[in-house]
Amino acid sequence: MSCPMDDQGLIMHWPFDEGAGASALENVSRVRNEIQYVFNQAEFTEPTGPQWRKGVTGSGLLFDGYSTFISHSVSEETTNGGPEFRSALSIGVWVAPRSYDWGYEGKLAAIVNRHNMDCKQGYLLGIFRHGRWSFQVGLEDGGWKEVWSPDGCELPKNEWSYVNAVFDGNNGEIKLYLNGREIAYSEVPSGSRLAEATGTDLLIGKNNHSSVWAGIFNLQMFSGILDELKIYNRALSAEEVAASYQQMLDSVHGGIKPQLQYDEIKLDRTPLLQDRHRPQYHVSPPAHWMNEPHAPIYFDGNYHLFYQHNPLGPFFYHIHWGHWVSEDLVHWRDLPVALAPEKDQLAPDGIWSGSATYDADGLPVLFFTAGNDSASPNQSVALARSTYSRDGDPNLVQWIKHPEPLIVQEKGMGAFGDFRDPFVWKDDEGWYALVGSGIEGEGGAALAFASKDMLNWTYKGPFYQADIQKFPYLGPIWELPVLLPLGTDKQGENKHLLLVSPVGKGADVEVFYWIGRLDKEHLSFIPDQEEPELIDVGDFHFTGPSGMVDPKTGRNIVFTIAQGDRTSELEYQSGWAHNAGLPLSVYLREDGRLGIEPIQELESLRGAKRLSIRDKSLAEANVLLRDVQGDMLEIQVELEPVRASQLGIKVRCTPDGEEETLLYYDFNEARLLVDRTKTTLHPGEKCKGIQGGKLELLGENLKLHIYLDRSMVEAYANGLKSLTTRVYPTRRDSLGLEIWGDGELIVKSMEVWDMQSIW
């Protein structure tokens, strides 16, 4: 809705009032533009159209940040003064950004543009890092002119703003207006003309010359809601801009600025719920990218878990801290992004992994890796505090960063330039931190720090480093160190668990651990055995460790990322990448080995019991299994080898065996294995081959505790090892189960339950 004078010279107008469907009407030409959106056609879920939301008037169009855009062919006859040059141009649009692009290659995330910067042609209105925004034009004389929002006039996330950009060539002016008020001005020569980007389509939500990431993802895409986009072939006056803004407020919103509820703009997991590969009882972001979950903490009756997140799309790019909350470690709720890069000197380029602990008052604090590419090194340890003490925020949604880094790496303090992922804990004597790094020429290391007040830290030297000559797979750098207390062993010695994730040249990127002793005096670790072990013997599907001592139960709980290990093309099509593994309870067994079990709370997800049998032969068990099918199951099975050296279970089987995944144990080699040679017929999926690792059963039967959750397969063997893998079957009837062995065996017991979604 606009006053009549505003419509003089109106050459394009997208009201975005459709509210549904995959097209948007340009109101002047009456041309209906197709809205590009990844799920207009979908391979793994039900096709669905672009997401529409409540607008400032009527509806608005939600742009997902990586796939949503509109292309409109412009008739050159709409120009003022001929097909190649125009003397004036004005743009008005209501905009609510959800996320900002990082600004790769210095380019703007386009709101609307029809430009070719190399040829100094056309125009571009868009958003840059941290909410800065700009209007840019190519001039007839070959110049390229830019006007930028000043400090304090950034476009806020999750709020409506009215944006106007005006090019007035006759008077030699370019202006920006925010919410009806002029905020920026730049001069151009009087009598200037805008050079048209002939042969170029007008794009809404996508830069005409966007950068390409990972060979498939276009960067500089708008993320958020747009409404009432208008383009004029004349220069709107300041009075007209102000009147247009005020009229929207007065006629639709009772004289106040339009309000936007967070639920209207947040990432929505609904389109992904029917994805036949997306896990339903493993915690995941609502959409897009995650890597490791981290910083678990229990506070005020709730568990909080954070995760590395790119809210712009399902690709590794501009890292924030996502946030979940749970009462039981099983059912999680999505909360807004907890920490985001901001326009500061602390972490403008990324909020990387860290941990959570309590301050002196028992309130939660977050320690994170602050990314600042203008600093050397570009990684430091920083702190954020909850606003709980100020406003009683029960969900810990709001966090305030300490303005300066707490620990800055110096030369001689580990491998310079690799310094990240602080793991912090508190005891009666103060706070302690491990930071992932390495020792130059000597391999990965966890570095130790101590503090009496949580703000001032002293370097104590390497906490632990391994011999890279003996164990080259431990790599030159360690990430994500975690230290958990295991209690006393049978000899009465106090034990701890140290977890690390190696990276760099030659590294095996898995979760390695040692059991050993904490030397509190020197703040160092003495392992019981020099050679590390694996918790999980799958290949690159159980990584990114974090951990906590649960104050509610006293358990040590470990969280991991379950890597999807798919191509960028498939992640683009799917709209999501990765999820968390199930939370694990880890403990010291009577025999001195590390025990691992999925947490008991997962039993709350059990639905109908599908099978319960005891002491059956292989053939008898498989007859009873014929009617048990599913891709969301919990399975407990004990297999006794009679005359079998290999035995296990096939999951996600088709009736004819064309697709299947075999989990099995080899008694001769003492190895837990998965055979994925027939897992999928899809030519693009990467899951294939045989993977596994060492598991000493020492005369026990094989006891498997298996969780199937669509593409997730987690097998826990005898409380000692897990094997996590991914499966992406092509056929929809890949739902069967079958006991398998290379000889005679007995199914001592087997129980199967349906599992329920947590969403």
Side-chain angles (χ1 to χ4, degrees), residues 76 172 342 741:
E76 305 302 340
E342 295 179 272

Side-chain angles (χ1 to χ4, degrees), residues 715-729:
Y716 300 89
N718 294 64
L720 286 166
K721 294 287 182 189
S722 63
L723 193 159
T724 303
T725 194
R726 299 304 287 242
V727 298
Y728 303 94

Side-chain angles (χ1 to χ4, degrees), residues 345-590:
Q345 292 304 305
L346 182 68
D349 296 296
I351 309 290
W352 303 88
S353 291
S355 61
T357 189
Y358 305 96
D359 67 12
D361 297 319
L363 297 176
V365 289
L366 304 180
F367 284 82
F368 61 94
T369 307
N372 183 355
D373 290 343
S374 66
S376 180
N378 66 351
Q379 304 156 40
S380 62
V381 175
L383 170 74
R385 296 179 185 269
S386 164
T387 62
Y388 181 87
S389 60
R390 185 185 71 193
D391 55 23
D393 174 14
N395 286 324
L396 306 183
V397 171
Q398 300 294 330
W399 298 85
I400 298 174
K401 297 170 192 161
H402 189 72
E404 297 177 349
L406 300 188
I407 308 176
V408 177
Q409 187 183 31
E410 300 173 2
K411 291 287 179 67
M413 187 186 288
F416 194 74
D418 287 292
F419 189 78
R420 51 191 175 269
D421 310 335
F423 178 82
V424 182
W425 73 98
K426 176 182 181 293
D427 67 14
D428 292 339
E429 298 178 29
W431 290 263
Y432 305 89
L434 303 182
V435 178
S437 187
I439 305 297
E440 298 285 359
E442 297 183 26
L447 309 180
F449 298 82
S451 174
K452 293 296 184 184
D453 61 3
M454 201 181 70
L455 298 179
N456 298 283
W457 292 82
T458 302
Y459 179 47
K460 296 294 187 178
F463 182 72
Y464 183 65
Q465 64 183 105
D467 188 336
I468 196 172
Q469 302 303 320
K470 287 185 180 179
F471 311 112
Y473 55 83
L474 288 176
I477 302 296
W478 291 350
E479 293 183 334
L480 302 160
V482 175
L483 184 74
L484 297 172
L486 291 176
T488 55
D489 63 11
K490 288 193 295 186
Q491 288 73 41
E493 189 172 65
N494 205 24
K495 297 295 184 181
H496 279 75
L497 174 70
L498 176 63
L499 304 169
V500 301
S501 182
V503 295
K505 185 177 180 181
D508 185 6
V509 185
E510 307 288 351
V511 180
F512 289 92
Y513 75 87
W514 295 265
I515 295 172
R517 182 169 59 86
L518 170 63
D519 181 345
K520 186 76 175 294
E521 181 182 355
H522 299 97
L523 202 54
S524 64
F525 181 76
I526 301 99
D528 293 346
Q529 294 178 319
E530 193 178 6
E531 185 173 4
E533 291 199 48
L534 291 167
I535 290 178
D536 190 276
V537 296
D539 187 12
F540 195 59
H541 297 293
F542 178 101
T543 64
S546 61
M548 69 179 293
V549 178
D550 179 8
K552 190 175 177 182
T553 64
R555 296 172 298 179
N556 289 306
I557 299 178
V558 169
F559 301 87
T560 59
I561 175 180
Q563 301 276 359
D565 197 24
R566 303 178 89 182
T567 64
S568 295
E569 289 81 1
L570 289 175
E571 288 170 343
Y572 182 102
Q573 293 172 28
S574 299
W576 62 278
H578 318 308
N579 51 269
L582 294 176
L584 298 184
S585 172
V586 298
Y587 55 94
L588 190 63
R589 290 166 43 120
E590 284 289 315

